[in-house]
Amino acid sequence: MSSSLSGPALVLLDHHEGHLRPPVLELVTAARSLGASVEGIWFGDGIEGVIPALGQAGVTRVYRVGAGAAGADGADLRQTVVAADALVAVVTAQRPALVLLTSTFDNKEIAARLGAATGAGVVVDAGALAVEGGRLVADKSAFAGTWLARCAITTPLAIVAVKANSVHAEDAAVATTPEVVDVAVTLSARVRPVTLVERTERPTSGRPELGEAEVVIAGGRGTGGDFSVIEELADLLGAGVGATRVATDEGWIDRGAQIGQTGVTVAPRLYIGAGVSGAVH
């Protein structure tokens, strides 16, 4: 049986104002390790600045949706329901063997919607990937890290959301010149009733996104509500700042900093807990 994918891998190229999210190149590296040619999908404008980086990573083609307009078919691609519908259209037309996304809240919803629409197998919060017996196999932890599960996807299309920092990003042995293909998407009727009422931008701290950070410092009840030392150390180390549920419930820090089963899933290379007790997760 084959130890590589039977078709290309399609990577969702998450970006912010034209800058690739750090885990994206990890996904491209993971796809190459499976013996797949790597294609990408990009929502919106601003791709020109990242073409060199994508070429160094070995991406051969990028499908660009919503360039020069508000989004696909006039809709806002920042809405997960719209992004998922656009992704369904591209996947249906291009028929990749694998779709890879970073494992964020939004992307896990997109993966679920894409799986429901295409009948594909879906795994989220995955770590290592392999092809065994012609099937995509993804490793993931379960039950607050007490179990390691190996999930084999038996459908022709596999959809996997991979945790940040699971793969070390590396350049391809041979660089490419990615072809950019503009794709016009007509959204389905199930998307049209969705209306964006309001959007509130989160304040930026200059620190890495918590779910993507290679170094995370988390504070708990033992801080007594004083996160100043934690934030100072985080700035010195270039770390993300997280917290336990107690700290967010007390209002000591924004709820978006909560780590755990009911908060953000983190997979840093270095984790420092300050004033944290209780269960490991």
Side-chain angles (χ1 to χ4, degrees), residues 100-117:
L100 287 177
L101 314 88
T102 55
S103 201
T104 63
F105 284 130
D106 287 353
N107 285 352
K108 285 188 277 191
E109 180 182 345
I110 291 172
R113 290 181 178 276
L114 178 60

Side-chain angles (χ1 to χ4, degrees), residues 140-149 261 280-281:
K140 62 172 293 180
S141 60
F143 301 112
T146 56
W147 288 76
L148 177 65
Q261 288 179 305
V280 65
H281 57 268

Side-chain angles (χ1 to χ4, degrees), residues 18-222:
H19 298 283
L20 284 174
R21 297 286 191 187
V24 169
L25 296 179
E26 298 174 15
L27 299 183
V28 176
T29 301
R32 291 201 325 266
S33 73
L34 301 174
S37 62
V38 187
E39 300 176 345
I41 179 167
W42 178 279
F43 292 148
D45 296 300
I47 193 174
E48 293 77 14
V50 302
I51 287 295
L54 295 176
Q56 284 294 115
V59 176
T60 59
R61 180 180 298 158
V62 179
Y63 302 102
R64 179 169 56 181
V65 179
D73 205 15
D76 189 343
L77 282 159
R78 292 174 297 178
Q79 297 181 66
T80 53
V81 64
V82 176
D85 211 58
L87 194 52
V88 168
V90 174
V91 167
T92 301
Q94 304 304 326
R95 305 184 68 82
L98 170 65
V99 176
L100 287 177
L101 314 88
T102 55
S103 201
T104 63
F105 284 130
D106 287 353
N107 285 352
K108 285 188 277 191
E109 180 182 345
I110 291 172
R113 290 181 178 276
L114 178 60
T118 60
V122 179
V123 176
V124 301
D125 290 335
L129 302 177
V131 177
E132 299 178 3
R135 302 184 303 183
L136 193 287
V137 178
D139 291 354
K140 62 172 293 180
S141 60
F143 301 112
T146 56
W147 288 76
L148 177 65
R150 306 206 71 214
C151 308
I153 298 177
T154 60
T155 52
L157 172 63
I159 302 169
V160 183
V162 181
K163 291 190 295 186
N165 302 316
S166 297
V167 179
H168 180 68
E170 297 179 349
D171 288 343
V174 178
T176 60
T177 302
E179 174 191 9
V180 178
V181 179
D182 284 306
V183 178
V185 172
T186 301
L187 299 175
S188 65
R190 63 178 174 269
V191 173
R192 301 212 172 273
V194 179
T195 302
L196 180 62
V197 176
E198 183 180 2
R199 178 176 292 275
T200 302
E201 295 290 338
R202 289 187 304 171
T204 58
S205 65
R207 302 186 186 101
E209 288 286 335
L210 186 56
E212 302 173 356
E214 293 192 358
V215 181
V216 170
I217 305 174
R221 189 192 300 274

